[in-house]
Amino acid sequence: MATDYGQSGQSYGFLEEPRRRRLPAGLRAPFEGRTWREFGYVLLSLPVSILLFTYGVTMVAIGAGLLVTFLGVPVLAAGLAGCRGFGAMERARARGLLGLEVADPEPLRMRGHGFLAWMGAVLKSGASWRALLYSVLQLPWSVFSFVVAVNFWAYGWALLTYPLWFWLFPAYGGQDGLQLYGDETHHIYLDNPFEIGVTALVGLLFTLATPWIVRALTQVDRVLVHGLLGPSRLATRVVELESDRGVVVDTAAADLRRIERDLHDGAQARLVNLAMGLGLAKEKLAEDPEAAARMVDEAHGEVKTALQELRDLARGIHPAVLTDRGLDAALSAVASRCTVPVQVEVDLVERPAPAIEGIAYFTVSELLQNISKHSRATWAGVDVWRVENRLMLQVVDNGVGGASASGGSGLAGLTERLDAVDGILVVDSPVGGPTRITAELPWRGERGERG
């Protein structure tokens, strides 16, 4: 089942030669735009953090001091609202200078209308208090990062360029060079060529190290912005569950419409024709028994066809073999209807919960239908196994490849269905094949769900 990487490996080798001609990352770093943007972020953080700290602490202090009166509550709410506004500014600054994309925090959930409802929503919002915490924590960190970054940057470039400006000391400073040590009796100056060269070398080391030091400092800023000014994990999870609920509702509605359409266009239409045919046969029974017998025989065929359509429809809703015998037998039945030979291997000690089992069945069934319709494969395989708390499904074929889970395709709809139950669909289908589609579902045991 190993994927052939021969061609892609050649293409990667072709791209390596131009890269070797570029300067190493350590030498490029002091001149890269990213380094200067990060350094600019550190420089701006100090005045911004002073503003945020002053505003946040002042508003909270005034609000807390006025809590004995009614005025303290609106002042505190206004302070928290201002911190949320500063949080939006900080997210924009991090996006522009650090390239950090942070989603907006959860919106205010107001129960009612008016100023009192807004004030209660601001005070109850965790995002408001996290923004206040950011305003307080940002100042000491900004002072530290500002001092470290500016000192490393200034000393690095000053020592690196020392050979260019050391002559200023004897010309205008009244000393031989940069003083390294001095007391009442001894003075050590960096004035001979060797000492000047060593000084420039030390400056070069400082200059090369400074971008990585600044990058490490801004990593802490990234954590602060992402952790305190972005949406909380709980809020993100709520949004995901709301989206998944919408997908489940839409999927259920689409399935009901499909069942209604299949019943209306298939079995129901055949049963109507059957009733009409039997009515005509009843009328002709006395005057033309042979014609009536033919019509009854045709009606018998219609009954068989309608029964087969009803079986297919029931299998599409939930096959009986899946309930009675589990995934192994159900997937083997699906594989037998595929247009290519399919090897099925199910390695499960126990059965998953019926809901997970049904999703796994329909996932494999749809993937095998895609193989029959589009893959032009001559062989396919289905593997099902369990890894800790995940049910793993893998469907492979040796077809032409090119499958994609992009919007509008059947795989995109399948991805949405799996995502609604915290599942994952991974498509590996290079043009020319082979195709390997792996699905993960959360494992819930049959006993656990029933209990």
Side-chain angles (χ1 to χ4, degrees):
M1 297 183 182
T3 305
D4 183 11
Y5 293 103
Q7 294 181 354
S8 60
Q10 293 177 2
S11 63
Y12 291 153
F14 177 77
L15 293 175
E16 284 178 358
E17 183 176 355
R19 291 179 180 174
R20 294 195 189 103
R21 299 175 183 174
R22 298 175 62 181
L23 287 174
L27 298 179
R28 296 196 316 268
F31 309 100
E32 288 182 333
R34 173 182 176 180
T35 299
W36 290 97
R37 288 192 298 270
E38 291 174 342
F39 186 63
Y41 183 91
V42 172
L43 294 181
L44 285 175
S45 291
L46 182 59
V48 170
S49 64
I50 294 175
L51 174 63
L52 266 62
F53 184 88
T54 303
Y55 174 84
V57 172
T58 302
M59 295 298 291
V60 170
I62 295 175
L66 294 176
L67 281 179
V68 294
T69 67
F70 179 75
L71 293 176
V73 178
V75 170
L76 185 59
L80 293 177
C83 290
R84 291 176 67 102
F86 283 123
M89 178 190 72
E90 286 294 272
R91 288 193 301 272
R93 188 166 69 97
R95 186 182 306 113
L97 296 178
L98 300 182
L100 178 65
E101 292 291 339
V102 178
D104 295 337
E106 57 274 16
L108 296 177
R109 297 182 178 271
M110 297 177 56
R111 296 181 179 179
H113 302 280
F115 177 72
L116 292 179
W118 173 84
M119 187 169 56
V122 171
L123 293 174
K124 292 179 181 179
S125 174
S128 303
W129 295 99
R130 292 198 306 273
L132 174 62
L133 181 60
Y134 176 87
S135 300
V136 175
L137 295 180
Q138 179 68 4
L139 178 61
W141 174 251
S142 295
V143 172
F144 174 78
S145 59
F146 181 90
V147 171
V148 172
V150 170
N151 276 279
F152 268 89
W153 201 277
Y155 278 104
W157 283 103
L159 295 178
L160 178 61
T161 59
Y162 181 62
L164 302 178
W165 57 272
F166 81 95
W167 57 270
L168 293 173
F169 288 97
Y172 301 101
Q175 60 187 45
D176 295 334
L178 185 65
Q179 183 174 335
L180 184 62
Y181 171 78
D183 56 22
E184 296 180 356
T185 58
H186 297 86
H187 300 278
I188 299 176
Y189 298 102
L190 303 175
D191 54 358
N192 63 61
F194 175 76
E195 293 172 345
I196 294 174
V198 172
T199 302
L201 180 60
V202 173
L204 177 63
L205 296 178
F206 272 66
T207 303
L208 295 178
T210 299
W212 306 102
I213 294 174
V214 172
R215 193 159 299 175
L217 294 173
T218 55
Q219 287 297 329
V220 178
D221 290 284
R222 288 183 171 92
V223 173
L224 288 174
V225 173
H226 189 276
L228 297 178
L229 300 182
S232 65
R233 292 185 178 181
L234 179 60
T236 303
R237 185 58 178 163
V238 169
V239 172
E240 290 178 354
L241 291 176
E242 290 177 348
S243 176
D244 293 344
R245 181 182 62 184
V247 172
V248 171
V249 171
D250 294 341
T251 301
D255 289 339
L256 289 175
R257 290 193 298 270
R258 176 181 59 82
I259 294 171
E260 180 185 10
R261 183 179 64 252
D262 292 343
L263 285 174
H264 182 272
D265 298 340
Q268 180 179 345
R270 291 190 181 278
L271 290 175
V272 170
N273 292 333
L274 173 63
M276 295 176 60
L278 289 176
L280 293 175
K282 181 179 179 181
E283 294 177 358
K284 290 182 175 291
L285 184 61
E287 58 185 42
D288 191 355
E290 294 182 358
R294 288 194 302 271
M295 297 178 71
V296 170
D297 186 62
E298 293 176 358
H300 183 257
E302 288 288 329
V303 169
K304 290 183 177 179
T305 304
L307 287 175
Q308 183 61 42
E309 290 180 352
L310 288 174
R311 289 193 194 97
D312 294 338
L313 183 60
R315 186 183 296 114
I317 298 174
H318 195 86
V321 65
L322 178 61
T323 303
D324 298 337
R325 300 173 58 189
L327 272 175
D328 196 354
L331 295 182
S332 298
V334 173
S336 65
R337 297 193 297 270
C338 189
T339 58
V340 300
V342 181
Q343 179 181 353
V344 179
E345 293 185 8
V346 178
D347 183 14
L348 296 177
V349 178
E350 61 177 319
R351 294 179 62 175
I356 299 299
E357 195 174 51
I359 295 173
Y361 170 82
F362 288 112
T363 299
V364 175
S365 178
E366 186 164 342
L367 292 176
L368 291 180
Q369 289 180 14
N370 288 342
I371 292 175
S372 299
K373 296 178 181 178
H374 310 296
S375 71
R376 289 183 280 174
T378 59
W379 175 88
V382 176
D383 290 324
V384 181
W385 71 98
R386 178 184 176 182
V387 177
E388 296 180 353
N389 61 342
R390 306 291 285 181
L391 177 63
M392 308 294 297
L393 315 171
Q394 189 172 85
V395 179
V396 298
D397 68 77
N398 62 347
V400 296
S404 173
S406 58
S409 67
L411 292 177
L414 194 59
T415 301
E416 292 180 354
R417 291 195 179 194
L418 293 180
D419 186 62
V421 294
D422 286 338
I424 300 173
L425 187 74
V426 179
V427 179
D428 179 16
S429 182
V431 176
T435 295
R436 177 180 286 102
I437 300 179
T438 305
E440 292 186 20
L441 290 168
W443 176 272
R444 292 199 300 271
E446 186 178 24
R447 295 179 182 177
E449 183 174 270
R450 290 179 178 177

